[in-house]
Amino acid sequence: MPTLSVIIPTFNEEAYIEDALFSVAFADEIIVIDSFSTDKTPEIAKKYATKFLQRKFDNFSNQKNFALKEATGDWVLFLDADERVTHSLEAEIKATLQNPKHGGYKINFPHFYMNRFLYHHSDDVLRLVKRNGAEYSGAVHEKLTCQGSIGKLKNKMLHFTYKGLDNYISKKESYAWFQAQQLFDKGKKVTWFHLFFKPSYRFFRSFILKGGFRDGVPGMTVAAVNAYGVFERYVKLMLLQRKAS
């Protein structure tokens, strides 16, 4: 059977990392790539990880690509500390690797917020890939590419991404700086279209098109914060442009 490596990036995840490691105990190799956490994350991770690596964080892609070079498995599963592989997903991964029909597989992530899973606010994300030819690109909301076609697994990955509204907004603001810098480096200019239409469409897409209204108040809250994140991206791009002028 092909071997599986799991890569988990961390930074101050002492409250989450142990459960993440338990959920992938079936893997042949577990690699934790840490950004010099100041809490007990390293201490916990070293108990269970096959390899514990530390690297100063510059962007998400470089961090994961660094760990990818250390992986030895035929296949690689990328996991965040706040994500969990269920028993049904574990069984499906094992069965898939015995007879793979694609070079990579997307997994659906229903987000957990306000004590419930938002099944209408979920994403299909490429996370399980053949190691050879796999690579991440992009500083934030990084994109994973692989060789060959891409399929999708049926079972879902549990994602406890929202640790409260303040944390969620703070995360959006942090991502906005990375995204603004990417746009600035590409020479993008801010217009009224970016400041008003794009945030409005993001809310409409999340709450209406993706069915977020079916998730009630949590779905509306997530849609609103997502729209705010888009608005913040272009406000920060304006600040970078003014600083450069």
Side-chain angles (χ1 to χ4, degrees):
M1 177 176 174
T3 54
L4 174 67
S5 295
V6 174
I7 292 176
I8 308 176
T10 58
F11 179 68
N12 290 347
E13 296 284 0
E14 65 179 8
Y16 290 86
I17 185 60
E18 191 163 33
D19 286 344
L21 290 165
F22 280 152
S23 77
V24 292
F26 65 93
D28 300 283
E29 178 181 62
I30 302 174
I31 301 174
V32 173
I33 173 67
D34 183 67
S35 303
F36 292 99
S37 293
T38 57
D39 63 1
K40 294 182 180 179
T41 297
E43 178 184 337
I44 297 170
K46 288 176 182 177
K47 294 180 182 178
Y48 307 101
T50 309
K51 295 181 182 179
F52 178 78
L53 310 173
Q54 286 190 304
R55 178 182 183 275
K56 183 178 179 181
F57 182 85
D58 50 2
N59 65 55
F60 295 99
S61 289
N62 289 345
Q63 203 75 349
K64 293 177 181 178
N65 287 334
F66 179 84
L68 186 57
K69 293 178 182 178
E70 297 289 327
T72 61
D74 301 307
W75 287 76
V76 178
L77 173 67
F78 290 92
L79 187 78
D80 287 343
D82 57 5
E83 297 167 353
R84 308 287 180 263
V85 175
T86 64
H87 292 302
S88 56
L89 179 57
E90 173 188 339
E92 185 178 11
I93 289 173
K94 290 178 178 178
T96 298
L97 296 191
Q98 288 181 345
N99 185 29
K101 296 178 173 60
H102 304 279
Y105 291 87
K106 291 183 176 182
I107 301 174
N108 185 260
F109 288 73
H111 302 314
F112 185 83
Y113 186 59
M114 295 176 71
N115 296 320
R116 64 188 292 186
F117 284 101
L118 309 185
Y119 290 102
H120 298 94
H121 184 82
S122 62
D123 301 295
D124 295 329
V125 186
L126 180 62
R127 287 294 191 86
L128 178 64
V129 295
K130 288 183 179 178
R131 178 172 58 85
N132 290 332
E135 184 180 26
Y136 270 99
S137 61
V140 66
H141 292 309
E142 61 280 11
K143 182 180 179 181
L144 176 60
T145 57
C146 66
Q147 292 183 351
S149 59
I150 296 174
K152 179 184 173 182
L153 300 183
K154 295 180 180 179
N155 289 283
K156 301 179 185 298
M157 178 86 75
L158 301 185
H159 190 194
F160 297 91
T161 183
Y162 306 128
K163 307 174 181 70
L165 185 59
D166 289 344
N167 176 270
Y168 187 29
I169 293 175
S170 177
K171 181 184 289 188
K172 287 294 181 180
E173 290 177 343
S174 176
Y175 285 171
W177 277 117
F178 282 104
Q179 293 168 328
Q181 187 64 55
Q182 281 184 309
L183 294 171
F184 179 78
D185 293 340
K186 294 178 181 178
K188 298 291 185 180
K189 302 296 183 182
V190 180
T191 67
W192 292 110
F193 173 83
H194 297 118
L195 290 172
F196 293 99
F197 179 79
K198 281 210 164 189
S200 299
Y201 179 74
R202 177 59 63 89
F203 180 88
F204 177 77
R205 179 175 179 270
S206 179
F207 193 61
I208 303 299
L209 296 184
K210 295 184 71 173
F213 63 90
R214 298 177 183 175
D215 292 316
V217 172
M220 182 177 67
T221 304
V222 169
V225 177
N226 283 344
Y228 168 76
V230 174
F231 178 75
E232 275 291 293
R233 177 195 314 167
Y234 291 104
V235 168
K236 287 172 170 48
L237 177 57
M238 287 178 61
L239 294 175
L240 290 174
Q241 290 171 344
R242 289 181 180 179
K243 184 177 180 180
S245 62

